[in-house]
Amino acid sequence: MRPFTPPSPRLLVHAAGLSLVVAGVVTWGRLLAPAAPPVRAAPARAGVADPTADALAAWFGPGEVRANIAVKGLIKGAGQAGVAVLSVNDGAPQPYRVGDALGRALTLAGIEADAVTVDKAGTSLRIAAPVLPTAPGIVRAAP
């Protein structure tokens, strides 16, 4: 058996340096690790009414078509078909022409000087345009 010889100082310095490098890598690995995903809410218990489910069922389920249509602007020249700028279901205003689909079973049926007509599953609805102040140089069409 060989007698015990203490490690050399050079070996001790290398071991200490290696342990510091490993500690640094572990520390930076924890600091730069991606955040844990958020905790999800517990599922709704049976018997508790979910208002969002009722709203979704009303919009996408069978039955009467519901839509929130707001007239933002009308553009119509003499003898032209015209364009209606509409916001459907609180969405961004979009331009529509006669015959364009606004949603499930909703079609733009007509554009007048002060309103639009929407065909809702065979029923005509007239939606008035808001009255805006006249600007210089723009002539309001007679309804």
Side-chain angles (χ1 to χ4, degrees):
M1 188 150 74
R2 282 193 319 189
F4 175 74
T5 57
S8 69
R10 184 176 183 184
L11 181 64
L12 290 175
V13 169
H14 282 281
L18 180 63
S19 64
L20 287 174
V21 168
V22 169
V25 168
V26 168
T27 301
W28 281 104
R30 288 185 180 173
L31 290 174
L32 298 176
V39 178
R40 295 186 182 220
R45 292 177 280 149
V48 177
D50 184 9
T52 56
D54 293 338
L56 287 173
W59 284 104
F60 298 112
E64 182 183 357
V65 177
R66 297 182 188 176
N68 180 15
I69 301 171
V71 179
K72 299 296 182 178
L74 299 171
I75 303 169
K76 186 169 180 172
Q80 296 180 3
V83 175
V85 180
L86 306 174
S87 173
V88 180
N89 297 332
D90 298 324
Q94 299 287 328
Y96 294 95
R97 291 187 177 267
V98 173
D100 287 349
L102 304 177
R104 181 175 59 110
L106 293 169
T107 307
L108 183 60
I111 300 174
E112 302 170 21
D114 60 346
V116 295
T117 306
V118 175
D119 180 47
K120 178 182 173 186
T123 306
S124 290
L125 300 172
R126 187 173 189 275
I127 303 171
V131 178
L132 301 174
T134 56
I138 296 178
V139 178
R140 183 174 304 276

